[in-house]
Amino acid sequence: MSNEKSVPSVSVTYAQNGNSTKPNELGMRVMQERAYEKRGEQFLLIKSPPASGKSRALMFIALDKLHNQGVRKAIITVPEKSIGSSFADEPLSQFGFWTDWTVAPKWNLCNAPGSDGGKAEAVGTFLKSEDRILVCPHATFRNAVEKFGIEAFDNCLIAIDEFHHVSANPDNRLGAQLAELLARNQVHVVAMTGSYFRGDAEPVLMPSDEEKFKSVTYTYYEQLNGYKYLKTLDIGYYFYANAYSDDILKVLNPDEKTIIHIPSVNSRESTKDKVREVEHIIEELGEWQGTDPVTGFQLVKTPSGRILKIADLVDDDASKRDRVSAALKDPSHKNNRDYVDIIIALGMAKEGFDWIWCEHALTVGYRSSLTEIVQIIGRATRDAPGKSRARFTNLIAEPDASEATVAEAVNDMLKAIAASLLMEQVLAPRFNFTPKAKAKATGPQDGFDYGDGGYQEDKCNVGFNADTGEFQIEIKGLAQPQSKEAERICQEDLNEVIAAFVQDRPSIERGLFDHEMVPQELTQVRLGKIIKEKYPSLTEEDQEAVRQHAVAALNLTQQAKAVLNPNEEAPQSGNTALIDGVRKIALSVLELDIDLIDSINPFGEAYKILAKEMNEERLRQVEAIITGKKVQMTTEEARDLARRALKFKAERGRLPSLTSPDPWERRMAEGVAFLARMKAEAANG
C-alpha cells in the first residue's frame, strides 16, 4: 500500500459501551425504543444509520398502530426485492414484546414471481382481504397506487424503507404519490433512511410536507459508540494510475471479509468488460479451484494455501447469479463467519444488504451520490464477534491533465474529497451551539464535562456529554434560530446543509485551488446562497442562524483535525480526540467567535492532505484547469456582498474600504463598486 497515492483515511475509535445493542424489557434497542416512544405520530421520519435496527423498529410501531390505533393495514415498501427479507417473520414475544411479527408468505411480494405490474393486482387483493401486513417493492407500490388510486389506501400505514429514494421532483413517481397521500391526510406514514442527508440536489420532500413529519434521529456516533465488538472505523481514498485491476491488491487484504463494488460499465474507471474484471481480481488473489456446487461460490487457493470462497454477483448468467444471491441470503448461515470471504458486486449488495462479518467495503470509482457512499459504508459497520475494526476504501483514478477525460477525473476527485469531509462530520458527535451571552445566564449544562479546568464563566466553554454523544459549545456573536423549523434544522439537519455545501462545485474548487480567495466568500456568501435556495421559507435571520451553525460545525471539525495532526499525517482520532481538538481550539483564542470561524477556509485542511499526497506536477495541472475558468464576480454575488456591506456599515458607522488591510472588507467594498459600475453603465447605456 506504500506505493499508493492516497487521501489519508479518517480513523475514528469508539468506546464500545454496548448501549446501542442492549435490549430493554420489550426487546428494543436504544434507537428502537426512541422510535417506539413516538409511535402515536401520524407521520414519522426515522433517520438512523445502517445496522441500527430500523426494520425491527418499524415492526414494533406497525403492530401498535394495527392493534391499538385503529389502523386497518400496514404496507411496507422497499426499493429492491432483496431488502424484503429484512421484514420477514420475527418472534418478538420471545424477547419481551406483546406479540409477534408475521407476514403471510403470499403477502411478501418481494418473493413472488412475476412483474411489478402483475404484482399490483395482488396489492388490490390484499386490500380487500382479512390479512393486515404486506411487503412489496417500491415499483409494485407505485403501480398499485396508479391502478387503484390513493383513496384505496385510506386508514393504512405506508412504511417506506430507504426513504432517500423518494424525491420532491415531479418526475419521481413515488414522491408525487406520497405528496398526494399526505395532502389527503387519510394514511399514516413511517419513513426510514440510513442517510443523514439526501446528498443530491433534489429534496426528498417539499418543506411544507417535511414539516408534517416528526423525526427520530439516531447518530452514527451513538450507534458505533454503543457497539460491543466494533471499535474502530477507517475511511480511505486511494488514487491509482492505469487500470484499477492492476492496483487493487494494494488495498485489498484477502484475510479481511470484503465486499468489492466494481465500477459501472458506463464509467471511465471501467475496462468495459465487467466479467473480465472479476476474473482478473480472482486471478490476482490466487489459483482458481472450481465452483462450490451448492452455493455457486468461486473457490480460490491463495499463495499461502488458504481456500477463499468468493461470491460473484456480477455474472451475466442469471441462473448462476441467482444461486449465489440465494446462498448469501440463506438465514442458516447468517452467523457463520467462514461461510463466504469476498463478495464481488456491481449494483447489488448495497443498501439493506446484511452481512455482519464484512470488515472492508472496497468501492472502485465514485458513486452517483454521497447517499450511496453512506449506504455502502453501512455494509461494513455491523457489529460482530471478533470484529474490532472495519474500513471503507474508495479507489479513485488519479487525474491526468493529458487525458481527454481530465474534467471527469477532476470531478471525481472533488467528489471523493467532498465525501471524506462529509463522513468526518457524520461520524462526529452532535454539535449544540449556544451564544456566549445566553450561556452567561444559564451557566454549565447538566451532564456535560467541561475539561480539566471545569466551566469558566469568562471563557467560551466546550462541554461534552459522553452518554448522548453531544457537544455543548459557546460561541460569541452566534445568531440563534427564531422559528421552530430553523431550530429543528440546527439540531437535526446540519449534515444536510454541509452535504449541499461540500458538493457545491464552485465552493470546493475555489476552497481547494483559489489561493487568493477570501474565506468569507465561501463561508458567508456561497453558503448563504445555498441555504437561501434550500430553505426559502425561512426568514433572513433564520437563514443566517442556520448558516452560522453549519459553518461552525464544519470548521470546528476540520480545525480539530488539524490541531490533532500538526504534521499533516493521516487523521487518527480516538473516541475523545475530536473533543480534545475542539477544546484546544477554544483555549487557543481569547474568544471563540463567529467572525473567527467565518474567516477559516473549510477546505484548507483537505488541500494540505491533497498537496502532500498527489504528484506535484499533476496537482499544478489540476489547479491550472480550475483557476483557468475562474469567474471574477457575478451580479448575484455582488448583491450579497453589498447587503453584507450595509450590515458592516450599521455595525461600524462606515462602508467597507477598497484599501482596507482586511481582505474580507476589501471584498465587500468590491461588491459595492461592482454594482455601482453596473448602475453607471446602465445609465449611460
Side-chain angles (χ1 to χ4, degrees):
M1 211 180 285
S2 59
N3 296 325
E4 207 58 46
K5 296 290 185 187
S6 68
V7 177
S9 68
V10 183
S11 182
V12 189
T13 304
Y14 295 88
Q16 291 177 301
N17 62 28
N19 289 344
S20 62
T21 54
K22 195 181 299 179
N24 66 6
E25 65 278 2
L26 293 175
M28 299 176 188
R29 284 149 50 179
V30 173
M31 185 283 288
Q32 295 159 352
E33 184 177 10
R34 190 176 296 175
Y36 192 66
E37 286 171 356
K38 294 192 178 181
R39 63 191 179 277
E41 299 291 346
Q42 184 179 357
F43 305 124
L44 191 61
L45 173 58
I46 300 174
K47 298 180 181 180
S48 186
S52 59
K54 290 186 293 297
S55 54
R56 188 165 289 200
L58 182 275
M59 295 175 190
F60 293 127
I61 292 166
L63 288 168
D64 188 85
K65 286 186 178 293
L66 290 170
H67 290 274
N68 300 323
Q69 297 181 40
V71 172
R72 66 187 181 99
K73 292 183 185 289
I75 297 173
I76 297 90
T77 178
V78 299
E80 59 178 76
K81 291 186 290 184
S82 63
I83 300 176
S85 60
S86 299
F87 298 93
D89 291 1
E90 285 289 350
L92 302 178
S93 61
Q94 290 183 16
F95 309 102
F97 198 59
W98 44 268
T99 190
D100 293 328
W101 174 261
T102 307
V103 182
K106 68 177 178 178
W107 299 131
N108 190 336
L109 301 184
C110 293
N111 298 333
S115 67
D116 287 309
K119 291 177 190 177
E121 284 288 354
V123 176
T125 305
F126 165 77
L127 289 170
K128 295 174 185 175
S129 73
E130 295 298 314
D131 292 309
R132 307 191 73 187
I133 300 173
L134 176 135
V135 180
C136 69
H138 285 177
T140 301
F141 180 74
R142 292 195 305 263
N143 291 328
V145 173
E146 286 188 1
K147 193 173 189 68
F148 303 111
I150 61 168
E151 299 86 357
F153 298 88
D154 283 358
N155 201 27
C156 290
L157 165 65
I158 310 298
I160 304 174
D161 196 22
E162 311 297 356
F163 192 55
H164 49 270
H165 283 261
V166 174
S167 166
N169 187 315
D171 294 335
N172 184 286
R173 286 168 61 204
L174 184 57
Q177 291 170 345
L178 177 61
E180 288 184 51
L181 288 165
L182 293 173
R184 183 169 168 79
N185 200 33
Q186 295 297 313
V187 295
H188 289 231
V189 177
V190 175
M192 299 170 285
T193 177
S195 304
Y196 283 70
F197 46 86
R198 291 181 273 273
D200 302 311
E202 299 288 352
V204 170
L205 295 168
M206 296 305 291
S208 57
D209 284 337
E210 190 161 351
E211 287 174 4
K212 297 174 183 176
F213 281 80
K214 295 293 182 184
S215 293
V216 174
T217 302
Y218 190 66
T219 67
Y220 248 108
Y221 184 90
E222 289 178 283
Q223 170 76 351
L224 274 73
N225 207 49
Y227 273 169
K228 185 176 179 182
Y229 305 105
L230 183 60
K231 186 176 180 65
T232 303
L233 176 63
D234 301 328
I235 298 177
Y237 294 86
Y238 294 88
F239 291 119
Y240 67 91
N242 305 315
Y244 81 83
S245 49
D246 294 335
D247 281 352
I248 196 164
L249 281 198
K250 292 179 181 176
V251 291
L252 171 60
N253 180 352
D255 293 330
E256 290 178 331
K257 302 292 184 182
T258 303
I259 297 178
I260 303 170
H261 282 106
I262 68 169
S264 160
V265 291
N266 297 318
S267 71
R268 68 189 175 82
E269 291 92 354
S270 174
T271 64
K272 312 307 175 192
D273 186 344
K274 62 182 183 179
V275 174
R276 179 67 193 123
E277 287 175 30
V278 173
E279 290 173 348
H280 186 79
I281 292 169
I282 289 173
E283 288 165 3
E284 289 284 302
L285 288 166
E287 184 182 338
W288 187 68
Q289 302 292 298
T291 304
D292 185 293
V294 177
T295 62
F297 297 163
Q298 306 292 320
L299 304 176
V300 177
K301 187 176 183 180
T302 68
S304 68
R306 181 173 167 232
I307 301 294
L308 291 175
K309 287 167 273 191
I310 300 175
D312 175 8
L313 292 172
V314 180
D315 198 317
D316 279 326
D317 186 328
S319 62
K320 290 182 182 178
R321 190 177 64 244
D322 289 347
R323 179 162 53 134
V324 171
S325 181
L328 290 173
K329 287 189 279 188
D330 184 346
S332 66
H333 290 284
K334 183 177 181 179
N335 296 319
N336 180 2
R337 187 183 188 279
D338 298 323
Y339 185 54
V340 66
D341 298 296
I342 294 173
I343 298 171
I344 305 176
L346 201 159
M348 300 173 73
K350 294 178 185 175
E351 58 190 17
F353 183 79
D354 189 7
W355 182 33
I356 64 171
W357 305 107
C358 177
E359 297 166 291
H360 188 191
L362 172 55
T363 299
V364 183
Y366 187 74
R367 281 344 204 215
S368 60
S369 75
L370 295 182
T371 300
E372 187 174 355
I373 291 288
V374 172
Q375 290 294 336
I376 291 172
I377 292 172
R379 298 321 99 206
T381 59
R382 264 68 175 167
D383 203 28
K387 175 179 161 183
S388 62
R389 192 171 200 120
R391 62 181 174 131
F392 164 76
T393 304
N394 200 178
L395 203 54
I396 300 287
E398 188 174 69
D400 185 343
S402 64
E403 293 179 6
T405 58
V406 65
E408 190 180 345
V410 170
N411 192 39
D412 283 355
M413 182 191 74
L414 295 177
K415 287 177 178 178
I417 293 168
S420 178
L421 290 168
L422 185 59
M423 284 311 301
E424 287 170 32
Q425 210 68 44
V426 167
L427 294 169
R430 188 201 295 254
F431 287 97
N432 294 324
F433 298 112
T434 308
K436 180 57 186 170
K438 180 181 177 183
K440 281 184 177 178
T442 58
Q445 302 293 301
D446 289 340
F448 285 85
D449 172 16
Y450 290 91
D452 294 337
Y455 189 87
Q456 301 175 49
E457 290 191 6
D458 59 337
K459 296 283 289 183
C460 286
N461 293 277
V462 176
F464 183 68
N465 186 320
D467 292 332
T468 61
E470 291 179 284
F471 276 116
Q472 189 72 34
I473 301 175
E474 298 169 1
I475 300 176
K476 186 180 178 183
L478 182 76
Q480 278 288 84
Q482 300 301 307
S483 67
K484 284 188 176 179
E485 174 62 5
E487 192 175 328
R488 183 195 68 77
I489 293 165
C490 289
Q491 288 177 350
E492 298 180 8
D493 285 356
L494 287 186
N495 285 337
E496 291 193 16
V497 177
I498 291 168
F501 183 43
V502 300
Q503 286 184 110
D504 181 58
R505 183 73 179 264
S507 294
I508 196 166
E509 283 184 348
R510 292 199 66 194
L512 287 171
F513 299 114
D514 183 355
H515 302 301
E516 296 178 2
M517 186 268 311
V518 181
Q520 288 92 333
E521 291 184 64
L522 296 182
T523 59
Q524 291 193 18
V525 178
R526 195 74 201 174
L527 180 55
K529 178 178 182 291
I530 289 168
I531 288 167
K532 280 175 184 153
E533 292 172 351
K534 192 171 179 63
Y535 303 110
S537 62
L538 293 184
T539 64
E540 280 191 21
E541 291 78 12
D542 274 343
Q543 288 172 348
E544 176 63 8
V546 170
R547 185 199 70 76
Q548 289 185 13
H549 280 68
V551 79
L554 177 57
N555 265 343
L556 284 175
T557 300
Q558 290 302 303
Q559 291 306 297
K561 183 176 70 172
V563 166
L564 294 165
N565 302 281
N567 297 322
E568 295 162 26
E569 296 171 352
Q572 300 290 318
S573 62
N575 82 303
T576 64
L578 183 65
I579 304 144
D580 296 338
V582 172
R583 283 204 177 112
K584 283 182 181 179
I585 295 164
L587 290 171
S588 67
V589 295
L590 289 174
E591 288 282 1
L592 190 60
D593 65 69
I594 193 63
D595 289 341
L596 172 67
I597 291 167
D598 273 341
S599 69
I600 299 168
N601 178 359
F603 304 100
E605 293 310 309
Y607 179 78
K608 287 180 185 176
I609 293 171
L610 200 61
K612 189 176 188 298
E613 296 301 322
M614 264 188 80
N615 173 284
E616 186 177 354
E617 181 186 354
R618 197 158 285 181
L619 181 66
R620 297 290 166 255
Q621 290 173 331
V622 171
E623 285 188 350
I625 290 165
I626 289 173
T627 55
K629 60 178 184 176
K630 181 178 162 186
V631 177
Q632 292 301 315
M633 189 180 295
T634 66
T635 304
E636 189 178 1
E637 285 170 343
R639 287 188 179 127
D640 194 284
L641 287 165
R643 280 194 293 270
R644 295 184 185 280
L646 289 174
K647 186 180 176 185
F648 178 96
K649 183 182 179 183
E651 291 172 351
R652 308 197 189 185
R654 63 176 179 84
L655 280 169
S657 168
L658 283 165
T659 58
S660 169
D662 177 12
W664 175 231
E665 183 179 340
R666 286 200 306 274
R667 190 63 174 165
M668 286 188 284
E670 287 167 6
V672 174
F674 182 94
L675 288 180
R677 282 197 306 275
M678 280 187 59
K679 189 175 180 181
E681 287 168 7
N684 297 328

